[in-house]
Amino acid sequence: MAINHEKDAPSEKEPGPFHRFRETLRRNAILNTAWRVGVFTVGATVLVGGLVMMVTPGPGIVGIVVGLAILATEFAWAQRALYRAKQAAERAKEKALDPRTKRRNTILAVLGGLLAGAAVIAYLVAYGFNLPWNVEDLTFWN
């Protein structure tokens, strides 16, 4: 009795349509270069947007990681940078989950809340329920 080894061996997976498309582009130098320029343009734009969002409102970290992920599809340097960014995020997560750090952050948040509450109470005692731009006499010690 003969054993059919072809059925037992793991079958090679057929490349998907994107991989076939990409291989077609790689065979033509001009199309390959145009593809890489396009990937670089899109990835760099998203990356710069993420960097801008670090100082303006928005999800800056997400933009940086997504930009690096787009660039990493074509460039080895971006793969290394993405790997380092993932390692840094993992270290930051571990540091944030440290019990001493969590306790310190909780204490600082409570103290900040108490100070903000004290400032609101002091304002209400001094000026009542008048809004700051409606206060006529700015001296509360009279």
Side-chain angles (χ1 to χ4, degrees), residues 116-140:
V120 168
I121 290 172
Y123 177 84
L124 290 175
V125 166
Y127 297 110
F129 285 101
N130 291 329
L131 295 174
W133 48 87
N134 292 336
V135 174
E136 293 174 11
D137 183 19
L138 296 177
T139 57
F140 62 90

Side-chain angles (χ1 to χ4, degrees), residues 82-132:
L82 182 61
Y83 177 73
R84 287 189 202 115
K86 286 180 181 179
Q87 284 181 326
E90 187 64 32
R91 285 192 306 270
K93 182 182 90 170
E94 291 299 321
K95 187 176 180 183
L97 294 177
D98 179 41
R100 290 187 311 200
T101 305
K102 286 176 72 174
R103 190 175 330 117
R104 183 201 64 204
N105 290 346
T106 301
I107 291 170
L108 288 174
V110 168
L111 287 175
L114 289 174
L115 285 173
V120 168
I121 290 172
Y123 177 84
L124 290 175
V125 166
Y127 297 110
F129 285 101
N130 291 329
L131 295 174

Side-chain angles (χ1 to χ4, degrees), residues 2-56:
I3 298 175
N4 187 355
H5 291 287
E6 290 179 18
K7 285 186 177 179
D8 297 337
S11 62
E12 291 294 321
K13 193 173 181 183
E14 280 286 319
F18 177 76
H19 291 290
R20 288 193 305 266
F21 170 73
R22 189 64 188 103
E23 284 302 318
T24 304
L25 289 180
R26 280 193 180 105
R27 285 188 219 116
N28 186 327
I30 294 173
L31 291 177
N32 188 41
T33 303
W35 177 265
R36 288 174 62 97
V37 166
V39 168
F40 180 79
T41 303
V42 171
T45 302
V46 173
L47 182 65
V48 168
L51 291 172
V52 167
M53 284 188 281
M54 290 298 288
V55 295
T56 61

